[in-house]
Amino acid sequence: MPESHIDTKLAQEATLPLAGIRVLDLTLARAGPTCVRHLADWGAEVIRVEPPSFNDGLGGSRDGYDFQNLHRNKRSIALDLKTEDGKKAFFELAKTADVLVENMRVRVKHRLGIAPEQVHAVNPRLVYASISGFGQTGPYSERAGVDQIAQGMGGMMTITGEKGRGPMRAGIPFVDLTAGNLLALAVMMALWEREKTGKGRWVHTSLLEAMVFMLDLQAARYLMDGEVPGQAGNDHPVNIPMGAFDTADKPVNIAASSPKMWAQFAEAVGHKEWLEVEQWKTAKGRSDDRANLNAAITAVFKTQPSEHWIDLLERIGIPCGPINKVDQVFADPQVQHLKMAMPITIPGRGDTNLVSTAINIEGHDSQVRRIPPKLGEHSAEILKEHGYSDDDVARLRGLGVISGA
């Protein structure tokens, strides 16, 4: 990325919604970085505080797709928080920060001496944001937690996949992503409250809470009606017809479960007689006889290719669509129109793309203003901004308290 282009983008940073918000990023793995990525994308000044030896918690290369996708628009200081000098430097950074985000195991921040009460002692306006596996307190609070463990403990794996095939994880780490999204929302709420009170809050969520929250209607079925949901494969758990159906070439998804859409659907595919089948006249009846109804629809759909059915149903307003592989997703004209692939030039890789934000704010463009930083790339720069002299920086580097540039 040419220097002039970078300078232009950095100048634009001052106009973004979160310009003026300074964030200390102490996150690893995926859930915490997901939260910080929202803040960084929309103009917050993010200082990534990392240990002098690289470990992103994901097991991949710093130059790999995971790190590059999660850590754009940040600066990096490599700082050893286990030393007194490192901790002193950290608190100097904390004095001017608006937000701190961490997703360490619960006891680690207390062991390091950087827990909420200690940080708030030097900066009561700071919003301290945490993600843990199972919550900051309670019988599981000290356990290590990762996405798949939360999917299992939170019920997701028993409602995902085909009936009788055993537990199945989702194909993305959506618990990590959801926890990060929720924490970013909590940060914004706390920053807004601070405008009125002048004081920051400790906001936190966990993978388990995020997973249970995302059960949504399936959780409500149990809590309100006592129904324990099970696996339904590609079928919607309660609505029908809604799911994936084979065609002459590849499967498509359809959603025609309302009484009006069911009638329109039956007529459009040339089988108005389905509306006279006694069991299929009600949503409950169709659900109870799901296997026979799905078989009837599949038999019809297999007579024509997928595009035929998509075009037909689109014309009458019934939701439907292809089932795409990931390469087909990014070749889709609507995905391209939405600019979900964000262009970037990375040294050693050249021109490539990262996944864009899904948030749109009219009048603002989210873009990569800073490529993901090298470990400690801005260590000296950041310390000097906080009152350290060249000699101070040299001393800390000599002691191994900082590394990088």
Side-chain angles (χ1 to χ4, degrees):
M1 188 179 297
E3 285 296 325
S4 60
H5 196 44
I6 294 173
D7 291 342
T8 299
K9 289 187 173 185
L10 291 178
Q12 293 171 347
E13 187 172 79
T15 69
L16 291 171
L18 294 182
I21 297 295
R22 177 173 287 175
V23 179
L24 297 184
D25 174 13
L26 279 73
T27 66
L28 294 172
R30 191 181 315 280
T34 296
C35 167
V36 179
R37 181 171 56 185
H38 285 297
L39 309 179
D41 278 353
W42 291 107
E45 177 199 347
V46 176
I47 298 174
R48 181 164 170 77
V49 182
E50 305 184 70
S53 57
F54 170 67
N55 173 20
D56 71 348
L58 295 170
S61 163
R62 195 177 186 94
D63 297 323
Y65 60 86
D66 238 350
F67 186 93
Q68 294 292 308
N69 197 52
L70 286 167
H71 297 294
R72 63 205 186 210
N73 296 327
K74 301 178 182 182
R75 294 189 293 166
S76 169
I77 178 171
L79 190 61
D80 188 350
L81 298 180
K82 295 178 181 179
T83 67
E84 286 306 311
D85 281 319
K87 193 176 302 180
K88 180 181 178 182
F90 167 79
F91 278 109
E92 287 301 318
L93 302 184
K95 287 177 183 178
T96 64
D98 298 284
V99 180
L100 182 156
V101 186
E102 62 86 17
N103 62 332
M104 310 169 190
R105 290 181 69 166
V106 167
R107 62 177 173 267
V108 173
K109 57 182 168 287
H110 298 281
R111 187 172 69 234
L112 289 173
I114 58 170
E117 60 272 18
Q118 292 154 321
V119 176
H120 280 146
V122 302
N123 183 356
R125 287 177 52 81
L126 181 136
V127 173
Y128 196 112
S130 302
I131 295 176
S132 62
F134 302 100
Q136 297 295 319
T137 58
Y140 300 166
S141 61
E142 295 296 336
R143 290 189 184 182
V146 296
D147 181 276
Q148 187 157 341
I149 305 302
Q151 286 195 35
M153 293 179 70
M156 180 66 180
M157 294 176 69
T158 65
I159 59 173
T160 302
E162 296 177 342
K163 186 175 181 179
R165 294 286 297 274
M168 182 68 65
R169 70 184 293 275
I172 58 171
F174 87 100
V175 186
D176 280 343
L177 299 173
T178 299
N181 294 340
L182 292 172
L183 192 67
L185 177 61
V187 166
M188 300 313 300
M189 291 180 186
L191 286 172
W192 175 244
E193 183 188 41
R194 191 184 72 173
E195 291 297 302
K196 295 174 282 185
T197 66
K199 291 187 177 182
R201 293 270 189 183
W202 183 20
V203 296
H204 51 86
T205 189
S206 67
L207 301 187
L208 185 59
E209 288 168 287
M211 179 63 257
V212 175
F213 170 78
M214 288 298 286
L215 287 176
D216 198 60
L217 79 157
Q218 299 283 44
R221 285 176 69 188
Y222 169 69
L223 292 173
M224 297 185 69
D225 294 341
E227 296 181 34
V228 178
Q231 293 167 303
N234 288 321
D235 293 324
H236 188 278
V238 293
N239 296 332
I240 182 172
M242 186 180 294
F245 295 86
D246 288 334
T247 71
D249 57 352
K250 63 179 184 179
V252 296
N253 277 318
I254 67 168
S257 59
S258 73
K260 179 181 178 181
M261 284 188 175
W262 164 237
Q264 290 175 316
F265 173 79
E267 183 171 357
V269 301
H271 286 274
K272 285 186 68 173
E273 74 277 8
W274 288 350
L275 303 176
E276 303 305 318
V277 177
E278 193 64 32
Q279 183 138 16
W280 296 355
K281 289 183 177 180
T282 66
K284 184 180 185 308
R286 292 194 296 276
S287 183
D288 290 344
D289 199 32
R290 184 181 294 269
N292 287 324
L293 178 53
N294 282 356
I297 294 172
T298 298
V300 173
F301 271 36
K302 281 187 172 181
T303 65
Q304 297 286 346
S306 56
E307 284 301 318
H308 169 85
W309 300 113
I310 291 171
D311 291 343
L312 175 68
L313 298 180
E314 274 294 325
R315 285 200 299 271
I316 60 174
I318 292 178
C320 58
I323 298 174
N324 291 327
K325 295 180 181 178
V326 174
D327 58 340
Q328 295 170 321
V329 171
F330 286 98
D332 185 280
Q334 184 64 24
V335 174
Q336 292 182 348
H337 172 78
L338 295 171
K339 300 179 180 177
M340 290 306 298
M342 183 183 290
I344 182 175
T345 302
I346 298 175
R349 274 185 176 262
D351 293 339
T352 184
N353 293 281
L354 302 178
V355 183
S356 182
T357 179
I359 297 172
N360 300 290
I361 301 177
E362 288 296 316
H364 290 294
D365 291 325
S366 175
Q367 54 191 318
V368 179
R369 302 178 306 281
R370 297 179 185 270
I371 62 174
K374 297 181 176 67
L375 178 64
E377 180 178 345
H378 307 96
S379 293
E381 176 184 303
I382 291 167
L383 288 176
K384 289 178 184 179
E385 290 171 359
H386 288 79
Y388 281 71
S389 68
D390 288 336
D391 288 344
D392 294 330
V393 172
R395 184 180 69 84
L396 294 179
R397 182 172 285 115
L399 293 172
V401 174
I402 65 169
S403 65

